Amino acid sequence: EPFSKKLQCRIEKTYRQDDGEREEPEHFTFTLLIAKPQTAVGGGLELTCTSVDNELVVDAIAIHTSHEALENAWGRMPETIARRDQSYRGPMMKELDEDFMDELLAYLDERGINHAFAEYIQTQAHWTEQEEYLNFLKCVREFADISGDDVKRA
């Protein structure tokens, strides 16, 4: 079956405790879009997932019957969000039949969307967070250096 390896992932939230003692598992929520190639059917799946200590949990699934609908699912423009929010978003996974859920998870696993994928996404999220933190420190340092020069001149 044709399947696009073009996966888009948007991390929604991260939850971490860096004090060395965690009471709750480390987890974050992300949205994953899986597109079919440009065919008569088109469209794809939108999965709301959570990575819990490197394990993939699929929380919700929505089907988009066209590429336009799939693009709308990804969009952040107000009109795109309004269109997306007016459409049926699909059930929560816990509401689905257990056999159907097993088949869906097998389908995803065949395409590399599994616990190893969740671990990869979590690693990338941590790396991105560290890069953003280093950039923050750099910006604060640059601001402090400029502010110090401005104070000396005044």
Side-chain angles (χ1 to χ4, degrees):
E1 165 184 334
F3 170 73
S4 174
K5 286 292 185 183
K6 178 185 170 195
L7 302 174
Q8 296 179 346
C9 183
R10 177 174 56 225
I11 297 172
E12 301 291 337
K13 305 173 216 162
T14 60
Y15 301 93
R16 294 195 308 129
Q17 295 177 341
D18 289 329
D19 59 5
E21 295 182 29
R22 294 187 308 163
E23 293 180 16
E24 298 291 323
E26 183 175 359
H27 64 284
F28 63 90
T29 302
F30 61 97
T31 302
L32 180 66
L33 300 178
I34 305 171
K36 280 201 164 217
Q38 294 283 354
T39 62
V41 177
L45 295 175
E46 176 185 353
L47 304 167
T48 302
C49 303
T50 304
S51 176
V52 181
D53 280 340
N54 295 328
E55 289 191 24
L56 179 69
V57 177
V58 179
D59 300 311
I61 181 173
I63 184 80
H64 300 285
T65 56
S66 69
H67 287 288
E68 180 184 6
L70 191 62
E71 289 298 319
N72 287 338
W74 189 253
R76 293 184 178 214
M77 299 299 293
E79 62 274 3
T80 303
I81 293 169
R83 253 182 278 141
R84 179 181 64 219
D85 291 346
Q86 290 172 358
S87 64
Y88 176 66
R89 303 293 298 152
M92 298 300 287
M93 289 295 285
K94 63 184 176 188
E95 297 171 351
L96 294 174
D97 176 72
E98 207 170 305
D99 291 336
F100 179 80
M101 287 184 356
D102 290 342
E103 288 181 31
L104 177 64
L105 293 174
Y107 171 86
L108 295 173
D109 188 50
E110 288 172 7
R111 287 150 181 84
I113 302 169
N114 48 32
H115 297 314
F117 177 77
E119 182 177 358
Y120 171 77
I121 293 295
Q122 194 159 348
T123 300
Q124 292 302 306
H126 289 165
W127 181 82
T128 300
E129 183 180 37
Q130 291 303 308
E131 289 296 311
E132 289 173 351
Y133 177 67
L134 291 173
N135 187 51
F136 166 79
L137 292 175
K138 177 184 167 202
C139 290
V140 169
R141 178 180 291 137
E142 288 173 1
F143 175 80
D145 288 344
I146 291 171
S147 294
D149 291 342
D150 290 344
V151 171
K152 291 175 187 174
R153 290 185 197 142

